[in-house]
Amino acid sequence: MYPFLRLARQRSARLTNLRIQPSSYRASAMSTGAAETDTQAENVAAAANITPSSMQNTLKEKLQAEYTSIEDLSGGCGQAFNAIIVSPQFEKKNTLARHRLVNSALKAEIAAIHAWTPKCFTPEEWQRKQSEAGA
């Protein structure tokens, strides 16, 4: 047998042993509290009473947000949100760090919804963006 074929078969065997089985994936998804289906997510969101105003209050409390605008894109079922968040805590943080800060503040809410799109700005960035939009 050619050496490269033997190596290819050995590698294939190792990769087969590393594959995640669907049942173990489902178990790990359930242990993290993530919903598997949209229906489950809707039920969790309804039970948690997630609304744009409740998320705004949480952001103002935990991040001292100066301005928040949260729009429900899902037609009222509370499954998809687009957010603009202005907070001084975003100073000297890159986009990823800002998103992580917001996601940690809204951890329970984000686990119960389907889609979340935050746009994070410092007060100076937001003021500059507003003046550019008005010009």
Side-chain angles (χ1 to χ4, degrees), residues 17-103:
N17 292 336
L18 293 176
R19 288 196 182 119
I20 298 172
Q21 299 302 318
S23 60
S24 64
Y25 174 74
R26 276 196 292 278
S28 67
M30 294 306 288
S31 67
T32 60
E36 286 188 41
T37 65
D38 289 342
T39 305
Q40 286 177 346
E42 288 175 17
N43 292 339
V44 171
N49 196 22
I50 297 170
T51 63
S53 62
S54 68
M55 287 193 290
Q56 286 176 332
N57 292 337
T58 302
L59 289 169
K60 287 180 180 178
E61 177 185 312
K62 293 184 178 180
L63 299 180
Q64 291 76 41
E66 294 179 4
Y67 174 78
T68 57
S69 171
I70 300 179
E71 180 184 4
D72 186 352
L73 303 175
S74 61
C77 75
Q79 286 300 295
F81 295 95
N82 192 13
I84 296 173
I85 305 153
V86 179
S87 173
Q89 289 189 16
F90 298 148
E91 286 289 337
K92 298 183 181 175
K93 288 185 172 47
N94 63 21
T95 303
L96 180 61
R98 293 174 184 192
H99 285 198
R100 285 180 176 166
L101 189 62
V102 169
N103 291 350

Side-chain angles (χ1 to χ4, degrees), residues 1-20:
M1 177 185 279
Y2 294 105
F4 66 89
L5 286 177
R6 186 173 351 120
L7 291 174
R9 286 184 180 160
Q10 289 172 350
R11 182 174 180 211
S12 176
R14 280 188 302 225
L15 290 176
T16 302
N17 292 336
L18 293 176
R19 288 196 182 119
I20 298 172

